[in-house]
Amino acid sequence: SRQSAPASRTPVALELLQGHPLLSLCSPESLRWLASVSTCEQLSVQESVVFTGSQVIVMLSGVLRAFISGSDGRQLTLVHLAAPGLWVDSAVGNPASVQGSAMTCCSILQIQTESFFSVLSKEPRLALCVLKDVCARSQAMVQVTTASLEPAAPRLAAHLLKLLELFGQPTQSGMRLHLPLSQEALAQGIGVVRRSVERILHDFRKRGFISVRKGWIVVHSMEALRQQAAAIETNDCRRETSHRRY
C-alpha cells in the first residue's frame, strides 16, 4: 500500500458537514469553523493513511482497516472504520504507529486536532457521541489484543464474521463475502502467517463451512462459523473468572 498524496485533498464544503450524522449535531457556527480547518481526501482501494495525533479522521464513505505492524512485518487489524465513524484515538494517547488501509474506495475528512477539540468543548452532544465511539472501539481493541493469544482458527472465524457484517451478501448457497481478499490479506487481519490461513481455510472447506469460488468466499454455515469463534469468548470468561479468584 502507499500513502495518499496531499494533492488529492480538497477544501470541505459546509453542506458536506451538515449531511454527516455526527458533525450535524454541531451549531451552524461550529460547522462553519470546522469547514475552514478541514480537508477532504479520496482514497482508492489499498491506499493508506497514517493516524497521528495532529488530525482527526472522519469517515464519509467506505471502510478503512486500522492496523499495527510488528517488528517481523506482520500486521494485526485493530478495527474496521466505516462511515460515519471517526478516529480520534491517536489524539488521546493511542500509539501514533497505527495505520489505515482502504478496503474499499473511501472518502475521509481530516480535521486539525486542536480545532476539533475546541469544537467538542462547545458541543456537548457531539462530545458525548465521540466519547461513546472511542470507548466502544477501545473495548474492541482489547478484545483483539486478547484474541491474539488464541489459536488461529477461532480468530479467523471471528474475523470472517466481522467482515461479513460489513460486506456480507446473501445468496442461495450462503453468505457471500463481497470483498476480494487474498490469503495474505486474511493473515494480516489476524496477525498470522499466510500458511496458517491456508491450512485453516482448507479445513473449513473440508468440513463444509465455506467454499471459495473465483476468489470469493461463501459461508454455507454461519452457525458453524460462530461456534468456531465462540472459543475466544469461552476462554475470555475463563480468564476473567481466574482473575477474580486472585
Side-chain angles (χ1 to χ4, degrees):
S1 62
R2 60 186 179 83
Q3 189 171 345
S4 55
S8 64
R9 298 174 185 171
T10 57
V12 177
L14 182 60
E15 292 78 9
L16 190 62
L17 302 185
Q18 292 170 334
H20 191 274
L22 292 180
L23 299 181
S24 61
L25 297 173
C26 295
S27 65
E29 181 183 358
S30 293
L31 282 177
R32 286 192 293 270
W33 168 246
L34 286 176
S36 69
V37 295
S38 306
T39 57
C40 186
E41 188 169 1
Q42 308 299 322
L43 300 177
S44 57
V45 177
Q46 295 188 344
E47 203 164 2
S48 65
V49 60
V50 178
F51 297 128
T52 69
S54 62
Q55 292 173 316
V56 171
I57 304 294
V58 180
M59 297 297 300
L60 299 177
S61 65
V63 179
L64 269 177
R65 179 176 70 94
F67 66 92
I68 55 176
S69 298
S71 57
D72 57 359
R74 286 189 293 174
Q75 298 177 0
L76 178 63
T77 297
L78 298 176
V79 70
H80 293 95
L81 296 172
L86 47 81
W87 181 275
V88 299
D89 306 49
S90 295
V92 293
N94 277 356
S97 57
V98 176
Q99 299 181 62
S101 178
M103 301 190 70
T104 65
C105 291
C106 295
S107 178
I108 65 173
L109 196 66
Q110 299 198 35
I111 306 174
Q112 297 172 10
T113 299
E114 290 186 5
S115 300
F116 187 76
F117 281 4
S118 175
V119 167
L120 284 185
S121 67
K122 304 173 185 176
E123 303 289 344
R125 289 194 301 166
L126 176 61
L128 181 59
C129 288
V130 170
L131 178 61
K132 290 180 178 179
D133 185 77
V134 171
C135 288
R137 188 159 50 251
S138 296
Q139 183 179 17
M141 288 183 184
V142 169
Q143 293 173 346
V144 167
T145 303
T146 303
S148 66
L149 304 174
E150 302 293 341
R155 287 160 58 192
L156 181 58
H159 186 56
L160 288 173
L161 288 172
K162 289 179 181 179
L163 291 175
L164 286 168
E165 290 179 6
L166 294 170
F167 306 106
Q169 185 180 72
T171 67
Q172 290 183 345
S173 58
M175 186 68 75
R176 179 174 180 256
L177 181 56
H178 192 63
L179 184 71
L181 286 175
S182 64
Q183 292 181 358
E184 181 64 31
L186 287 172
Q188 291 176 348
I190 60 174
V192 300
V193 296
R194 186 193 63 80
R195 293 178 65 180
S196 295
V197 168
E198 181 182 12
R199 174 180 54 79
I200 297 167
L201 289 179
H202 176 75
D203 179 62
F204 284 0
R205 287 196 297 266
K206 186 177 179 180
R207 298 164 69 179
F209 297 172
I210 69 168
S211 63
V212 181
R213 302 173 182 175
K214 298 182 179 180
W216 302 92
I217 294 177
V218 178
V219 177
H220 303 296
S221 175
M222 293 290 289
E223 183 58 31
L225 210 59
R226 292 190 187 99
Q227 290 178 2
Q228 285 287 315
I232 295 177
E233 296 181 3
T234 300
N235 289 337
D236 281 348
C237 291
R238 289 174 180 171
R239 274 191 290 268
E240 184 176 351
T241 301
S242 176
H243 289 163
R244 286 176 179 174
R245 289 175 183 172
Y246 297 98

